[in-house]
Amino acid sequence: MAEERFDRFDFREAEPKWQQTWEKQQINKVTEDPGKPKYYALAMFPYPSGKLHMGHVRNYSIVDVIARFRRMKGYNVLHPMGYDSFGMPAENAAIQKGISPAVWTKANIAEMTEQLKQLGYSYDWDRAVYTYRPDYYKWTQWIFQQFYKNGLAYKKTAPVNWCPSCATVLANEQVEDGECWRCGSTVTKKDLSQWFFKITQYADELLNDLNQLQGWPERVRLMQENWIGRSEGAQLDFSVPAVGEKLTVYTTRPDTVYGVTFVVVAPEHPLVERLIEGGHIPTATVEQVRAFQEKMKGQNEITRTSTDTEKEGVYLGVDVINPFNGEKAQLWIANYVLMEYGTGAVMGVPAHDQRDFEFAKKIGLPIKVVIQNPEGNLDATTMTEAYTEAGSMANSGPFDGTLNEEGKAKVAAFAAEQGFGQGKVNYRLRDWLVSRQRAWGAPIPMIYCDDCGTVPVPEDQLPVLIPDDLDFSGQGSSPLARHEGFMNCACPQCGKAAKRESDTMDTFVDSSWYFLRYTDAQNGDQVFDKEKAAHWLPVDQYVGGIEHAILHLLYARFFTKGLRDCGYLTIDEPFKALLTQGMVCLDGTKMSKSKGNIVSPEEMIAKYGADACRLFIMFAAPAERDLDWTDAGIEGAYRFVNRFYRMVMSAIPTIHHARSLLPVQTGNMAAMMGALTMGELAEGLAKATTLTEADKDLRRITHATLKKVTIDLYERFAFNTAISGMMELTNAIYAYREKVAEAEQNTLVIAESIQTAVLMIAPFCPHLADELWHKLGFPTSIHLEPWAQYDEAVAQAQTVEIVVQINGKVRDRLDVAAGLNAAETEAAAMASPKVQEMIAGKQVAKVIPVPGKLVNIVVKG
RNA sequence: GCGAGAGUGGCGGAAUUGGCAGACGCGCUAGACUUAGGAUCUAGUACCGUACGGUGUAGGGGUUCGAGUCCCCUCUCUCGCACCA
């Protein structure tokens, strides 16, 4: 017989063995089961860039632990995986290396799937989705058309963000500090006709429903709230006598409208052109205006819109009229007014807006106080900054004396009554620009016909396939636009020659609905079965990086609401709870290829095994926080895996011996193989009458640890403390077996503590756990076992140590019976001779007993 | 500038409800076992002090019998937004 390695968990042999066993037995396969509560655990699916990095390992380990734990707790768990596999890197590989994007993508997916399997994640691979495959993007295109039919997708010409390096447009959310989120190039503006999704239609709902998302981190909700940027105010029409038209301004402070001393429009405001065309602006000024416009164009958006940038502008030499009081106000253009927000025109109230104040001071424009402070001493001539606090309206005609907060609505109502304005809500959120001038994405399924206009590709002709003979030599327009066979088609309505849309969809469209497809991934006839979707959704726990706080999470929320309104979903929100995991760092900075500070999961798995890797990454830091990778740390996890293995292996003969003393019912496979079931153990221990103090202690620690770990995994996602609890239990088991004479050791107590420990470690180290479970004599996988039940009574200590403080300083420690009330606790403390000695001759002012914890005696003198 | 979060031993971190600060792990020290060990097991390890004891959770103040935890001020770091009218 071959020598069995006893001192170390042979992960090289055991991990692949168990992976194959699970796959063969299909233990991770899941279908709807009305007999069990459902649980949908989801990790953000990866882009197949090549190999897994530690960030992936962290993300997927967290979700796997949650999924495995929930399964053991009796839930029917949906735990899928897939690939967000359209996008630029594949196309760049095609351009640079001449490999087809599909081939490149497929190879990467194969490699990453292999690694995910090596890590022992419990995915139902039958549900995998691959966004680059026609069977997926067919439905991406189908959803586009549902949105089109329901008015949620439209085409318009607008100044859009353009990344010159990626040669494509970008959504607002994909511009970070004026730079392309992907390549970092400075983004410019271009006027183009592009497809948009009408996310702004849901602005209010997206904002309000954030309140429902109590399972989300506060800061993500806040980021979305800020991004949506709702503001309440009014639009007011100033008149421009020179051209006989209205100039509408947007303001959140209609209560200050009587304080307007100038009006500013964005340099690119159309009114400016009309004033120039009409000859209303002096020639010398026109030159200044043109120069100013040029200067603004040359400035990138960051500098122009930075708070630090000094305010500057040009007086157009034209006046506008305030409709409230008929007063004239100078019309200016200035750098700090943006065409994109509101109406591109603002009223200048220097007394009550800091920006206007600075501008007025610089230029020398008048300042007029119209909100008086409670002291009543606000004076335009002595002000050093704008007064933006509450007050009562002054110099404001019929509104004088009105509290300004009330005045806001009153002024807006008055404007509406008089026909020169109305209350208005504004959002920072823009519609989502989804067109991309790239080939490796889902083609937008639209056709342009000279006679019929824009015509959707009929549903039975979906998907619009990406040709596999694209020319990526990278010249001029996108490869799709250059592909004659793709571009030329017949109009579905009139049959005449027509052209296809050459743009593809933003890859964020693909990832906005992948979690819906998991509920029915192989459906060839529908996007998904409505009932299956209704069964699994919403996602119970979503886990991913904070970098998606706005982009992906906002888009997915929008898609959910959009598909609901198209009649395909019954939920309002896709992700009930969200956990944003921290980054994996090395030497204090995020691991990244460009910085070269990478620890490769591949090497770590090869050296320490998947279980040790998983354990370390879950132990080293709380899930939300950044984690510093250390070699010493994973060594520690590796040591613990082996220490745990030895603990169980050395106890197995004892446990099997205990089995032999008990009757075996026929057909009990586990019993025949020497195993004691958890039920038998509980029963046996309930009857046991000879438990020693050491036995009771170990049982108490076992049950207390089980309780702690259960709560940590169920309610807190405190994986690090769950693991530390298991380490403590391991230490306690070692100590018991070290300190209690062998003849005195209780086999049932040992078996209970050992088996409980193995069950608890199963979600973290699935291979180790199944190996040990098997060695203990169980014929079936531990991952099909129920989670152990803790006994509250056993977990409770019979005696507790209480601390006796005198004036807040610890002076004595007493062992007292558990469950004493306040008076009994106090009496126990006062009975201590040591305490009596220390308070002798002093006046006891007060005694504060805290049952089960401490007693504080306050003495004087 | 605004908003959010964080600051605890040599290091990662724990303290869940205001109640023994430093669990657990790393590192380090010593011992045992060993031909050997960078394996394993055992013990120790916040700081000052020989000790009795004292001091300690970024700094300062406050509430309380009692504060890492609550309140106020200050500092540092991280993230998000950044002239949004």
Side-chain angles (χ1 to χ4, degrees):
Chain A
M1 197 172 149
E3 196 190 332
E4 193 170 3
R5 287 208 68 162
F6 188 74
D7 63 329
R8 206 170 275 215
F9 174 52
D10 185 357
F11 66 86
R12 291 193 178 86
E13 189 261 325
E15 290 183 350
K17 178 183 79 189
W18 286 107
Q19 286 153 20
Q20 283 155 24
T21 307
W22 299 332
E23 199 160 332
K24 214 180 299 161
Q25 296 179 354
Q26 298 206 316
I27 70 165
N28 298 320
K29 199 169 162 50
V30 64
T31 50
E32 296 73 37
D33 180 352
K36 285 181 179 176
K38 71 93 186 177
Y39 192 86
Y40 188 173
L42 183 66
M44 289 180 183
F45 68 165
Y47 179 80
S49 52
K51 290 182 178 179
L52 290 185
H53 54 68
M54 279 299 173
H56 291 129
V57 177
R58 192 175 192 194
N59 192 169
Y60 308 147
S61 295
I62 291 169
V63 182
D64 196 50
V65 169
I66 295 171
R68 288 181 181 277
F69 169 72
R70 287 281 169 167
R71 270 192 215 109
M72 293 175 86
K73 282 297 266 180
Y75 288 82
N76 189 34
V77 176
L78 176 57
H79 182 210
M81 184 40 72
Y83 293 93
D84 188 11
S85 34
F86 267 142
M88 291 286 300
E91 205 165 329
N92 288 338
I95 294 164
Q96 285 154 21
K97 298 175 203 161
I99 314 165
S100 116
V103 170
W104 184 87
T105 301
K106 215 169 168 176
N108 286 346
I109 287 175
E111 190 166 5
M112 287 171 77
T113 301
E114 183 56 34
Q115 287 189 290
L116 291 173
K117 288 183 176 175
Q118 278 175 19
L119 280 155
Y121 297 136
S122 57
Y123 302 126
D124 178 355
W125 282 103
D126 290 348
R127 292 176 179 268
V129 302
Y130 307 86
T131 61
Y132 81 105
R133 292 193 187 168
D135 64 355
Y136 183 89
Y137 73 73
K138 169 181 178 176
W139 300 110
T140 307
Q141 292 172 341
W142 179 87
I143 293 171
F144 182 97
Q145 294 195 342
Q146 298 307 307
F147 280 8
Y148 180 72
K149 283 175 198 160
N150 286 275
L152 292 175
Y154 67 95
K155 201 177 190 193
K156 73 167 177 192
T157 303
V160 295
N161 304 305
W162 173 261
C163 172
S165 151
C166 297
T168 185
V169 297
L170 296 170
N172 270 17
E173 290 79 7
Q174 290 160 347
V175 182
E176 295 167 351
D177 288 344
E179 291 170 357
C180 171
W181 70 295
R182 183 171 283 292
C183 71
S185 309
T186 301
V187 170
T188 59
K189 290 274 179 191
K190 254 194 179 183
D191 274 309
L192 288 172
S193 175
Q194 301 282 298
W195 285 95
F196 289 82
F197 282 163
K198 215 173 192 174
I199 189 168
T200 54
Q201 183 172 317
Y202 291 92
D204 256 326
E205 200 190 337
L206 286 166
L207 180 68
N208 295 335
D209 285 357
L210 287 171
N211 292 326
Q212 288 179 27
L213 303 177
Q214 292 306 311
W216 282 39
E218 173 84 28
R219 84 172 162 136
V220 176
R221 295 204 307 257
L222 265 168
M223 279 164 75
Q224 293 214 353
E225 189 181 320
N226 292 336
W227 188 263
I228 296 166
R230 183 181 197 274
S231 83
E232 256 176 70
Q235 282 189 352
L236 304 173
D237 302 330
F238 283 62
S239 53
V240 191
V243 288
E245 54 178 284
K246 291 186 303 187
L247 173 62
T248 305
V249 302
Y250 174 72
T251 179
T252 52
R253 294 295 306 276
D255 54 314
T256 65
V257 72
Y258 287 85
V260 172
T261 57
F262 60 99
V263 168
V264 191
V265 297
E268 57 274 49
H269 197 284
L271 176 65
V272 178
E273 295 311 311
R274 285 200 290 279
L275 287 170
I276 292 173
E277 282 162 23
H280 303 287
I281 300 179
T283 323
T285 310
V286 172
E287 277 166 32
Q288 281 177 35
V289 169
R290 291 297 183 216
F292 191 74
Q293 287 174 329
E294 277 312 303
K295 188 176 169 189
M296 290 302 115
K297 255 186 213 161
Q299 259 177 22
N300 73 28
E301 211 154 322
I302 313 309
T303 4
R304 180 171 156 198
T305 60
S306 160
T307 334
D308 311 327
T309 307
E310 193 162 347
K311 291 165 183 46
E312 51 179 341
V314 178
Y315 174 43
L316 298 178
V318 171
D319 291 339
V320 296
I321 309 289
N322 184 337
F324 285 84
N325 54 14
E327 281 178 16
K328 280 186 184 173
Q330 292 188 358
L331 183 62
W332 285 70
I333 55 173
N335 56 346
Y336 72 96
V337 176
L338 310 170
M339 195 59 222
E340 287 81 37
Y341 187 77
T343 60
V346 299
M347 58 188 214
V349 186
H352 306 294
D353 182 284
Q354 188 57 28
R355 289 159 308 186
D356 296 344
F357 184 85
E358 284 166 25
F359 191 67
K361 276 283 174 195
K362 187 179 169 188
I363 308 298
L365 290 163
I367 297 172
K368 183 181 170 192
V369 170
V370 289
I371 306 295
Q372 189 50 261
N373 67 15
E375 291 78 37
N377 57 10
L378 217 54
D379 180 0
T381 56
T382 57
M383 286 172 86
T384 55
E385 58 177 8
Y387 179 76
T388 54
E389 307 293 307
S392 52
M393 293 173 68
N395 300 318
S396 298
F399 299 99
D400 278 356
T402 311
L403 288 175
N404 78 307
E405 282 304 321
E406 294 165 17
K408 286 178 181 176
K410 287 186 179 167
V411 169
F414 180 73
E417 219 176 274
Q418 301 290 314
F420 48 74
Q422 79 237 318
K424 167 83 176 163
V425 173
N426 245 325
Y427 299 91
R428 213 185 79 114
L429 183 70
R430 309 280 86 168
D431 274 341
W432 176 12
L433 166 48
V434 296
S435 302
R436 293 294 178 275
Q437 290 71 48
R438 308 301 313 183
W440 192 234
I444 293 174
M446 289 291 170
I447 290 169
Y448 303 110
C449 169
D450 285 342
D451 293 345
C452 309
T454 304
V455 183
V457 174
E459 200 173 322
D460 60 10
Q461 288 174 31
L462 294 180
V464 175
L465 289 168
I466 308 167
D468 49 20
D469 58 346
L470 290 174
D471 167 23
F472 283 99
S473 56
Q475 290 159 19
S477 52
S478 115
L480 276 180
R482 289 196 306 266
H483 193 284
E484 296 283 319
F486 175 82
M487 290 302 291
N488 295 316
C489 65
C491 170
Q493 270 175 30
C494 66
K496 281 191 206 154
K499 292 274 184 198
R500 286 191 192 279
E501 166 66 62
S502 61
D503 286 351
T504 57
M505 284 181 247
D506 182 2
T507 54
F508 278 89
V509 175
D510 310 324
S511 57
S512 292
W513 72 281
Y514 77 108
F515 54 94
L516 305 173
R517 183 70 178 172
Y518 281 143
T519 66
D520 193 14
Q522 298 194 4
N523 197 327
D525 305 323
Q526 297 174 74
V527 61
F528 47 76
D529 178 85
K530 272 195 219 177
E531 286 187 12
K532 284 183 178 167
H535 177 267
W536 289 112
L537 294 166
V539 171
D540 292 280
Q541 186 63 53
Y542 199 17
V543 182
I546 186 74
E547 66 273 18
H548 293 106
I550 291 174
L551 282 159
H552 163 62
L553 290 167
L554 190 66
Y555 293 151
R557 293 182 63 218
F558 158 65
F559 255 60
T560 302
K561 292 172 191 301
L563 284 169
R564 176 200 62 197
D565 291 345
C566 294
Y568 298 97
L569 291 175
T570 52
I571 51 165
D572 299 318
E573 284 290 335
F575 313 123
K576 201 168 151 190
L578 173 72
L579 175 71
T580 50
Q581 108 247 5
M583 296 182 300
V584 182
C585 302
L586 190 64
D587 308 322
T589 46
K590 185 183 180 176
M591 281 190 193
S592 79
K593 266 188 213 164
S594 53
K595 288 194 203 105
N597 59 337
I598 295 279
V599 175
S600 125
E602 220 174 7
E603 281 171 35
M604 291 299 125
I605 296 166
K607 195 166 174 192
Y608 302 105
D611 281 348
C613 248
R614 294 169 55 125
L615 193 76
F616 171 66
I617 215 159
M618 301 299 285
F619 177 63
E624 306 80 11
R625 244 192 272 177
D626 288 354
L627 177 157
D628 218 24
W629 186 275
T630 64
D631 289 345
I634 188 163
E635 292 268 1
Y638 176 67
R639 275 206 292 270
F640 176 72
V641 165
N642 287 317
R643 183 171 154 84
F644 191 93
Y645 178 81
R646 282 190 299 274
M647 169 183 80
V648 179
M649 289 303 284
S650 64
I652 284 175
T654 316
I655 294 170
H656 285 181
H657 177 67
R659 166 81 273 169
S660 68
L661 304 176
L662 293 172
V664 173
Q665 289 178 333
T666 42
N668 183 345
M669 276 298 289
M672 283 154 65
M673 294 171 71
L676 289 149
T677 64
M678 295 307 286
E680 284 174 320
L681 284 173
E683 208 177 302
L685 283 161
K687 286 189 221 146
T689 51
T690 56
L691 294 185
T692 63
E693 281 309 309
D695 296 337
K696 286 181 191 164
D697 267 353
L698 183 55
R699 285 208 76 199
R700 182 180 55 73
I701 294 168
T702 300
H703 284 259
T705 304
L706 178 56
K707 179 179 178 180
K708 178 199 169 46
V709 172
T710 306
I711 292 169
D712 279 354
L713 296 185
Y714 227 145
E715 296 163 15
R716 304 205 313 143
F717 295 133
F719 309 106
N720 56 332
T721 57
I723 293 168
S724 76
M726 291 188 273
M727 287 171 167
E728 284 179 83
L729 175 60
T730 303
N731 292 343
I733 296 172
Y734 267 95
Y736 176 90
R737 302 192 65 209
E738 172 84 12
K739 281 170 189 152
V740 178
E742 202 157 337
E744 308 266 300
Q745 291 180 16
N746 185 308
T747 322
L748 293 180
V749 171
I750 291 176
E752 181 190 47
S753 60
I754 295 263
Q755 292 184 190
T756 304
V758 177
L759 284 164
M760 283 192 291
I761 212 166
F764 295 90
C765 302
H767 313 87
L768 171 74
D770 228 353
E771 178 75 12
L772 290 171
W773 200 243
H774 178 72
K775 293 242 162 81
L776 279 160
F778 293 95
T780 51
S781 171
I782 193 168
H783 303 296
L784 302 171
E785 290 291 323
W787 190 250
Q789 289 288 323
Y790 59 85
D791 184 332
E792 190 69 59
V794 177
Q796 286 306 322
Q798 290 177 343
T799 64
V800 288
E801 188 186 74
I802 61 163
V803 165
V804 185
Q805 297 180 332
I806 294 171
N807 289 348
K809 304 245 180 230
V810 179
R811 293 297 180 221
D812 199 10
R813 291 163 189 278
L814 303 170
D815 281 324
V816 302
L820 294 189
N821 65 22
E824 290 163 340
T825 307
E826 179 174 338
M830 297 309 282
S832 153
K834 200 166 164 186
V835 170
Q836 281 301 326
E837 194 185 314
M838 296 190 78
I839 61 174
K842 290 174 180 157
Q843 192 197 342
V844 175
K846 209 172 184 182
V847 179
I848 298 109
V850 182
K853 295 243 164 87
L854 59 66
V855 176
N856 190 15
I857 301 165
V858 185
V859 298
K860 283 185 202 158

